[in-house]
Amino acid sequence: MPDPSAATTAPRTASFLSPIPLFFVFLWSSGFIVAKFGLPYAPPLTFIVLRFLCVLAILAPLVLLLRAPWPHGKVLHIALAGVLLHAGYLGGVWCAIKLGMPAGLSALIVGMQPILTAFAAPLIGETVRPRQWLGLLFGIGGVALVVAAKIELVGLSFAAIALCVLALVSITVGTLYQKRHCPQFDLRTGTVIQFTASTIVILPLAIIFEGMRLDFAAVQWTAHFIGALAWAVLAVSIGAIFLLFALIRRSDATQVTSLLYLTPPTTALMAWLMFGEAFNALGMAGMALAVAGVFFVVSKSK
């Protein structure tokens, strides 16, 4: 078994259209499906607190049992990156959806992350090539086509839009911050640090704004909710996050975030298969355009 703390020596130009990045896209995209299953049975911040606590209940004993190494001199950097990537992103998106933000519009707003990351790339010593800029434009165009039929603006509140923009800024800054200040750390202990810090931030907000009690009385423990919680913990918060950190460790931030262009099309396809939601020719064209955009971003050519 490879050492999770070891820095990879794989080339930075390794193909992103390979099983690991595509599996990451699948797991990350399923997070929106989890929200559809779980939010009817629990307030958003309460659900997130439960999710974080379950992750810690699984990982903390493993860290102790395996005697995984703790980072030295990076704990605060890792914790801050985690708050931005987990608490800021999830809290913003899930609260926005709860306030009536359509999933399609939230996906489009958050889908701006690769563009923001590209503009900020010089801050972490990265250069975005002309071919990559073309790919980024293709990607956002593809995302727009996929969600066009699902966007509804009637009755949309300023708070919902603001929360979604907060999530966009949070995950963008978190990705860049981690890439610059702590790209290398043991995934096991680092994830424990990040989810502990995120829980400390989200817990008081859940108590203040949702009246959350420590017995989680507001949660309806249905089979749908338990299944959604289990998938959110094991597949998304552990599986997808481990893959995301591995990708950040070995590649440029612009390349990593470009994969998120594939999230709205993949989510739309999942929703079509699972819930019968519309996925028309325009959506399929958008998916093809988003895939082309990612190819341009990760291509070796200039």
Side-chain angles (χ1 to χ4, degrees):
M1 178 177 179
D3 179 5
S5 65
T8 180
T9 58
R12 294 163 65 86
T13 54
S15 173
F16 266 61
L17 299 182
S18 61
I20 291 180
L22 294 182
F23 189 48
F24 161 74
V25 170
F26 166 75
L27 293 179
W28 192 265
S29 301
S30 69
F32 290 91
I33 304 300
V34 165
K36 189 175 182 68
F37 269 114
L39 283 181
Y41 306 104
L45 297 179
T46 300
F47 190 116
I48 292 171
V49 169
L50 262 175
R51 176 174 172 172
F52 290 173
L53 290 176
C54 288
V55 171
L56 291 172
I58 293 171
L59 290 182
L62 288 176
V63 165
L64 296 176
L65 181 64
L66 298 173
R67 297 182 180 180
W70 291 90
H72 298 290
K74 299 181 183 177
V75 173
L76 291 180
H77 287 309
I78 294 172
L80 179 55
V83 168
L84 293 167
L85 289 168
H86 305 304
Y89 171 70
L90 285 177
V93 169
W94 285 44
C95 288
I97 292 175
K98 191 70 173 183
L99 289 177
M101 170 71 74
L105 184 54
S106 64
L108 179 58
I109 293 174
V110 178
M112 293 295 293
Q113 184 197 350
I115 293 288
L116 288 185
T117 302
F119 277 114
L123 297 176
I124 58 173
E126 296 180 4
T127 302
V128 181
R129 303 186 301 275
R131 185 184 181 92
Q132 290 181 305
W133 280 114
L134 180 61
L136 291 168
L137 294 176
F138 276 12
I140 195 63
V143 169
L145 288 178
V146 169
V147 303
K150 300 177 180 293
I151 292 178
E152 300 173 4
L153 300 178
V154 178
L156 192 61
S157 69
F158 173 79
I161 297 175
L163 284 167
C164 217
V165 171
L166 171 65
L168 165 63
V169 173
S170 185
I171 192 172
T172 303
V173 175
T175 301
L176 292 168
Y177 188 90
Q178 180 161 312
K179 180 66 179 177
R180 176 163 186 168
H181 294 287
C182 48
Q184 304 286 342
F185 57 83
D186 186 280
L187 295 182
R188 299 160 297 183
T189 52
T191 303
V192 168
I193 292 170
Q194 292 200 334
F195 278 104
T196 298
S198 297
T199 302
I200 293 172
V201 171
I202 292 291
L203 180 60
L205 296 178
I207 294 173
I208 293 170
F209 293 108
E210 296 178 353
M212 192 197 82
R213 291 164 40 182
L214 295 182
D215 61 357
F216 297 103
V219 176
Q220 301 176 48
W221 295 94
T222 64
H224 275 170
F225 177 79
I226 294 173
L229 178 62
W231 184 266
V233 170
L234 298 174
V236 184
S237 286
I238 294 179
I241 292 299
F242 269 47
L243 291 177
L244 174 63
F245 289 173
L247 292 170
I248 290 175
R249 172 181 291 180
R250 68 187 294 166
S251 306
D252 288 348
T254 301
Q255 289 182 317
V256 175
T257 56
S258 72
L259 290 171
L260 300 183
Y261 278 148
L262 302 180
T263 297
T266 306
T267 301
L269 185 58
M270 289 179 178
W272 173 64
L273 292 173
M274 299 181 68
F275 307 119
E277 294 186 5
F279 189 67
N280 53 24
L282 191 64
M284 288 185 280
M287 176 177 284
L289 190 59
V291 171
V294 172
F295 175 79
F296 278 122
V297 172
V298 304
S299 173
K300 299 178 185 179
S301 302
K302 296 184 177 181

